[in-house]
Amino acid sequence: MTPQTSPVDHELVQAAAHVARTRCRGDHHTMAAAGRARDGRIVTAVNAYHFTGGPCAELVLIGAAAAQGVYELDTIVAVGDRDRGVVPPCGRCRQVLLDYFPGIGVIVGEGDRVRTVPVADLLPETYVWADHQLDSVHPPSSGAS
């Protein structure tokens, strides 16, 4: 399967890189994320590392976006501190992004290979949480065989 790609939002990558460079300090904040809202606004956030598994920058960004009235994101990117560049989301973030924003584009790759892919392409054989809820749109099984 060949992943679909979309144009890269370089302004978004630059926003995340700026936050990583200027706001990530020490061991507590090592990643920055930037998300593009449907209305064009850019929301940024940093991770809150803790040995118990503090939230990644992408998850903090979802909360920060909601606090600013942004409930729909089109694109997201994470950038590491110390000029590590674009960093792909971890498995947990991929799943959360898919569940919150099934159509979101995620910027991944390195250097001149940076690209935007649909979040579903990052999760082959995806588990869609909403499909497994009792009130999902799937009709109940009749039980007859």
Side-chain angles (χ1 to χ4, degrees):
M1 171 171 94
T2 304
Q4 300 172 350
T5 60
S6 300
V8 174
D9 185 337
H10 292 287
E11 183 183 20
L12 202 59
V13 175
Q14 291 170 354
H18 175 75
V19 171
R21 197 172 39 259
T22 61
R23 299 292 184 250
C24 291
R25 297 201 169 111
D27 294 337
H28 298 299
H29 309 292
T30 59
M31 294 290 297
R36 173 81 64 187
R38 290 252 166 98
D39 65 8
R41 285 184 284 169
I42 292 177
V43 178
T44 59
V46 298
N47 69 322
Y49 177 79
H50 190 264
F51 74 90
T52 61
C56 297
E58 296 94 334
L59 299 184
V60 175
L61 185 130
I62 292 170
Q68 295 176 43
V70 173
Y71 298 99
E72 296 295 329
L73 294 173
D74 286 333
T75 310
I76 193 167
V77 65
V79 173
D81 66 347
R82 299 179 314 264
D83 295 319
R84 289 183 289 146
V86 172
V87 177
C90 72
R92 175 179 65 172
C93 288
R94 292 173 192 213
Q95 185 67 55
V96 172
L97 289 169
L98 177 71
D99 290 337
Y100 273 68
F101 314 107
I104 196 168
V106 181
I107 299 173
V108 297
E110 297 178 18
D112 60 354
R113 292 183 19 242
V114 172
R115 62 202 182 283
T116 304
V117 298
V119 69
D121 285 2
L122 298 176
L123 285 168
E125 303 296 328
T126 54
Y127 171 87
V128 178
W129 182 77
D131 291 347
H132 300 278
Q133 300 311 297
L134 294 177
D135 61 349
S136 72
V137 295
H138 301 292
S141 172
S142 64
S145 338

